[in-house]
C-alpha cells in the first residue's frame, strides 16, 4: 500500500512539473498569424500576430531560417508558426521555399498563400482582415479555393505550376506561378471558370444578360477518354436553380472555355487537376507521352447538364 501511495505521489509531482513547463512554453512563445517574405538576395521576413494590426517584428539574414531567428530577437520569445494563416511574397523565388517552411515549422496545409504585386508590402496591413476578405470571396464562389496544400500539390504535378491569389483593386485576382517565375495573371471570367473546373467552391449565382440565375444545387465532374494517340477531357457541370437555364449554361461554358484557354493553352499549366484525371482514367496515354506532348494531344469539352428537380 505504501509503495502504491509513493508511486501516486511521484506521478502527481511529475504531472505538476510537466504542466508548469507547458505553461512556461506557452508564455514564452509568440504566436504568429502572417509571414511576409521579401528580398531573395538577403531574405527578409515581416511577421504579424493575432493582436496587433501591422507587422510586429522584422528580420533578415543569409537564409529565410536565419531571418526568422533574427526577427525573434526583438520579441524575446520563440516564434510559433503552427497557427500561421498567411504566407505572402512578391518574389517568385520564395515559391520553392514553401515545402521546407511547411515541414520545418509545421505550417497548416490550410494556411493561405498570397502573391503580392511588385513594390508592395503588408507592413501596415491588418493581415487578419486580409485573410477574412480572401476567405469571403472564396465562400461567395467568385474565387477558387487555394491554400498551402493546393499550391504544393499543383507544383508537384508534371506541369510544375500553381494557382495563387493576388490582391487587386476589386478584392483578389489570380496568377499562375512556377517554382521560379510568375507565368501570368488571369481574367475575372477565367477566375469564375476555374471555380467550376476545380469544383471545390461553386458560385452561388450566374450573372446572365437578363436576370441572374440563382443556384440551388451544383457540382462538377471531369471524365477522360483516349484512343491511345489523343485524349479528350469532358468537364460536366450539373446544375439546378431558378432562372433561364440555357443562358446560365452558355455563361458557364464561356467561363470554363476562357479558363482552359488562359491556363492550359496559353500558360501550359494544370491548375484544375486535369492531368490527374488523365492519369487515373487514361493511364497508358500519360505513360506513353511526355508532358509537352500530352498538352498538344489533349482536347477539352464543356457541357452543362440540368439536374432533375426535387
Amino acid at each position: 500500500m505504501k509503495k502504491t501511495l509513493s508511486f501516486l505521489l511521484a506521478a502527481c509531482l511529475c504531472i505538476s512539473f510537466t504542466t508548469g513547463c507547458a505553461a512556461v512554453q506557452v508564455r514564452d512563445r509568440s504566436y504568429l498569424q502572417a509571414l511576409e517574405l521579401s528580398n531573395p538576395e538577403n531574405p527578409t521576413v515581416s511577421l504579424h500576430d493575432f493582436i496587433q494590426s501591422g507587422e510586429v517584428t522584422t528580420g533578415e539574414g543569409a537564409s529565410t531560417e536565419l531571418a526568422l531567428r533574427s526577427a525573434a530577437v526583438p520579441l524575446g520569445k520563440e516564434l510559433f508558426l503552427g497557427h500561421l494563416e498567411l504566407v505572402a511574397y512578391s518574389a517568385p523565388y520564395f515559391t520553392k521555399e514553401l515545402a521546407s517552411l511547411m515541414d520545418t515549422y509545421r505550417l497548416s496545409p490550410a494556411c493561405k498563400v498570397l502573391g503580392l504585386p511588385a513594390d508592395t508590402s503588408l507592413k501596415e496591413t491588418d493581415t487578419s482582415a486580409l485573410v477574412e476578405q480572401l476567405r469571403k470571396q472564396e465562400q461567395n464562389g467568385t474565387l477558387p479555393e487555394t491554400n498551402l496544400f493546393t499550391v504544393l500539390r499543383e507544383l508537384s504535378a508534371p506541369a510544375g505550376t500553381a494557382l495563387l491569389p493576388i490582391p487587386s483593386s476589386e478584392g483578389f485576382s489570380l496568377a499562375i506561378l512556377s517554382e521560379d517565375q510568375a507565368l501570368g495573371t488571369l481574367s475575372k471570367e477565367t477566375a469564375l471558370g476555374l471555380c467550376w473546373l476545380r469544383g471545390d467552391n461553386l458560385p452561388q449565382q450566374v450573372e446572365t444578360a437578363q436576370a441572374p440565375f440563382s443556384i440551388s444545387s451544383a457540382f462538377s465532374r471531369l471524365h477522360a477518354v483516349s484512343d491511345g494517340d489523343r485524349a479528350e477531357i469532358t468537364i460536366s457541370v450539373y446544375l439546378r436553380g431558378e432562372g433561364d437555364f440555357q443562358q446560365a449554361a452558355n455563361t458557364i461554358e464561356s467561363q470554363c472555355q476562357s479558363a482552359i484557354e488562359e491556363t492550359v493553352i496559353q500558360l501550359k499549366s494544370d491548375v484544375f487537376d486535369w492531368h490527374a484525371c488523365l492519369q487515373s482514367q487514361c493511364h497508358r496515354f500519360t505513360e506513353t507521352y511526355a508532358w509537352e506532348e500530352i498538352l498538344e494531344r489533349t482536347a477539352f469539352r464543356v457541357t452543362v447538364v440540368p439536374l432533375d428537380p426535387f
Side-chain angles (χ1 to χ4, degrees):
M1 183 68 178
K2 289 182 178 179
K3 289 183 177 180
T4 303
L5 288 173
S6 298
F7 175 79
L8 289 173
L9 285 171
C12 290
L13 286 171
C14 288
I15 291 172
S16 66
F17 285 132
T18 304
T19 304
C21 290
V24 171
Q25 286 182 346
V26 170
R27 185 174 62 246
D28 290 344
R29 281 179 170 178
S30 180
Y31 291 82
L32 300 175
Q33 185 270 337
L35 165 65
E36 181 183 356
L37 301 165
S38 59
N39 191 20
E41 294 78 14
N42 189 43
T44 302
V45 299
S46 172
L47 303 177
H48 299 247
D49 63 15
F50 289 89
I51 301 172
Q52 181 175 317
S53 178
E55 68 179 29
V56 293
T57 182
T58 62
E60 61 180 45
S63 66
T64 301
E65 182 179 1
L66 292 175
L68 282 165
R69 291 182 187 178
S70 173
V73 173
L75 297 177
K77 295 183 177 183
E78 177 186 345
L79 302 181
F80 183 75
L81 282 70
H83 296 161
L84 204 70
E85 295 181 336
L86 176 67
V87 175
Y89 55 88
S90 58
Y93 164 86
F94 290 108
T95 304
K96 65 181 66 176
E97 294 205 349
L98 292 176
S100 62
L101 281 170
M102 183 177 180
D103 292 340
T104 303
Y105 300 100
R106 298 183 179 180
L107 304 189
S108 166
C111 178
K112 296 297 184 183
V113 183
L114 189 67
L116 298 175
D119 301 321
T120 61
S121 169
L122 300 180
K123 181 177 181 179
E124 305 296 332
T125 302
D126 183 339
T127 51
S128 291
L130 184 67
V131 170
E132 286 307 308
Q133 292 168 9
L134 177 58
R135 288 173 177 160
K136 187 66 175 178
Q137 197 164 333
E138 291 176 344
Q139 290 168 5
N140 291 340
T142 57
L143 197 73
E145 287 184 353
T146 58
N147 52 42
L148 184 56
F149 174 78
T150 65
V151 170
L152 292 178
R153 186 193 68 210
E154 289 165 9
L155 288 172
S156 68
T161 58
L163 190 67
L164 214 63
I166 53 176
S168 70
S169 58
E170 298 181 357
F172 296 90
S173 56
L174 294 171
I176 292 182
L177 302 182
S178 67
E179 279 200 337
D180 55 9
Q181 63 178 320
L183 301 179
T185 56
L186 305 177
S187 66
K188 183 178 180 180
E189 185 176 25
T190 284
L192 291 170
L194 283 174
C195 287
W196 294 107
L197 295 178
R198 288 161 76 95
D200 298 322
N201 59 321
L202 301 182
Q204 299 172 357
Q205 67 179 26
V206 180
E207 300 295 335
T208 67
Q210 297 180 6
F213 182 90
S214 180
I215 297 170
S216 58
S217 181
F219 61 92
S220 303
R221 294 287 184 270
L222 272 62
H223 177 70
V225 294
S226 173
D227 60 6
D229 187 52
R230 305 193 69 81
E232 181 180 78
I233 296 175
T234 299
I235 300 97
S236 299
V237 177
Y238 297 86
L239 188 67
R240 181 194 296 124
E242 296 182 3
D244 190 317
F245 176 86
Q246 192 54 53
Q247 283 197 3
N250 292 342
T251 299
I252 292 170
E253 288 179 11
S254 175
Q255 291 170 348
C256 290
Q257 292 293 354
S258 173
I260 292 166
E261 173 64 27
E262 289 188 28
T263 64
V264 181
I265 309 302
Q266 295 180 17
L267 299 179
K268 314 298 183 187
S269 69
D270 177 9
V271 290
F272 58 92
D273 287 339
W274 62 267
H275 184 271
C277 174
L278 277 177
Q279 198 167 35
S280 172
Q281 300 178 23
C282 306
H283 184 69
R284 182 173 296 180
F285 176 76
T286 59
E287 290 295 302
T288 302
Y289 296 105
W291 165 248
E292 292 76 12
E293 291 179 289
I294 289 173
L295 277 168
E296 297 175 357
R297 293 172 180 270
T298 302
F300 296 84
R301 186 167 68 93
V302 180
T303 178
V304 182
V305 183
L307 281 169
D308 293 334
F310 294 111

